[in-house]
Amino acid sequence: MTILIHFLIISGIIPFIWVNGGRSESFAEQLPISIINTIISIIGVVFTWIVGRNKLYKYKRGITIISWFFLVLWSFGFIQQLFGTPFEKMVCSLVLLLGVISNLRMAIEKNSCNYFK
């Protein structure tokens, strides 16, 4: 959903003033922010997919550390959304809350390499 929201911003379907707390004064200011957030989200999707598809028991500690990193990142984003525009409060905060919950589950799961199976 995060990737979709940023693609909609980049394509101009969602106005850039609805995101980033309304602080972006132009589309040119918002564009790099949306691109960076899309890249970070894609990295998170790839990480989740790799962890869920493979049995990487010897990398469990690294996977757990990365999961905690994403948990902190998504939690920080969630808090920011609560202080943002109405669109961010109603839509983006729910998407980020789902990210927080899923990354928390990956971080604390005893057998995090098999949680999709």
Side-chain angles (χ1 to χ4, degrees):
M1 288 296 295
T2 302
I3 297 168
L4 176 63
I5 289 171
H6 283 289
F7 276 132
L8 294 174
I9 294 165
I10 292 168
S11 66
I13 295 172
I14 294 177
F16 68 88
I17 59 172
W18 286 10
V19 294
N20 195 25
R23 292 185 302 267
S24 296
E25 294 184 18
S26 68
F27 179 74
E29 281 185 34
Q30 181 58 41
L31 185 61
I33 296 169
S34 290
I35 290 171
I36 290 169
N37 286 337
T38 301
I39 291 169
I40 291 170
S41 297
I42 290 170
I43 291 169
V45 167
V46 169
F47 170 74
T48 303
W49 183 72
I50 290 171
V51 170
R53 303 288 284 159
N54 296 308
K55 296 180 181 183
L56 304 170
Y57 296 115
K58 73 182 205 179
Y59 302 111
K60 175 145 178 30
R61 184 178 183 128
I63 290 169
T64 302
I65 290 169
I66 294 169
S67 296
W68 281 108
F69 170 75
F70 276 116
L71 174 70
V72 170
L73 189 69
W74 283 73
S75 297
F76 181 68
F78 174 72
I79 292 167
Q80 285 182 316
Q81 299 307 314
L82 295 177
F83 293 106
T85 63
F87 176 76
E88 290 174 318
K89 289 177 187 175
M90 294 184 337
V91 177
C92 298
S93 64
L94 294 176
V95 172
L96 282 164
L97 182 61
L98 291 174
V100 169
I101 292 168
S102 65
N103 283 290
L104 176 62
R105 181 172 177 208
M106 285 189 338
I108 63 173
E109 190 80 23
K110 295 245 188 275
N111 194 8
S112 66
C113 295
N114 278 332
Y115 72 93
F116 282 119
K117 298 185 187 224

